[in-house]
Amino acid sequence: KALQDGKADVAEQSYRQMLEKYPRSPARGDALFNLAKLELLRNHPDAALNAFWEVVDSGAPPVTASVAY
């Protein structure tokens, strides 16, 4: 929701906290994917590419991983 509201910093913090607190969460792929999108929004294509690869490597559900791939 924070990302949709234009609060990228808040969204990033929320995703990172979730990943740290719940590293095996089924939502892990979504959080990683959204962090990658944040890097694109910030015009950091190399960081975004690395983050999208992390989605693929994370074992995220096929739908999320295929979009990142």
Side-chain angles (χ1 to χ4, degrees), residues 25-42:
S25 169
R28 178 177 172 75
D30 291 333
L32 291 168
F33 184 78
N34 286 325
L35 286 170
K37 291 192 316 184
L38 282 170
E39 293 296 354
L40 284 177
L41 287 172
R42 292 177 173 152

Side-chain angles (χ1 to χ4, degrees), residues 29-34 36 50-60 64-65 68:
D30 291 333
L32 291 168
F33 184 78
N34 286 325
N50 289 333
F52 283 125
W53 277 117
E54 192 172 349
V55 174
V56 174
D57 292 342
S58 76
T64 304

Side-chain angles (χ1 to χ4, degrees), residues 4-67:
Q4 294 171 349
D5 291 342
K7 299 176 184 172
D9 292 336
V10 173
E12 179 180 12
Q13 182 180 12
S14 296
Y15 296 135
R16 292 197 187 282
Q17 285 176 349
M18 189 281 296
L19 290 168
E20 185 176 317
K21 191 170 183 178
Y22 305 105
R24 295 178 183 230
S25 169
R28 178 177 172 75
D30 291 333
L32 291 168
F33 184 78
N34 286 325
L35 286 170
K37 291 192 316 184
L38 282 170
E39 293 296 354
L40 284 177
L41 287 172
R42 292 177 173 152
N43 200 26
H44 299 145
D46 291 336
L49 181 60
N50 289 333
F52 283 125
W53 277 117
E54 192 172 349
V55 174
V56 174
D57 292 342
S58 76
V63 172
T64 304
S66 66
V67 173

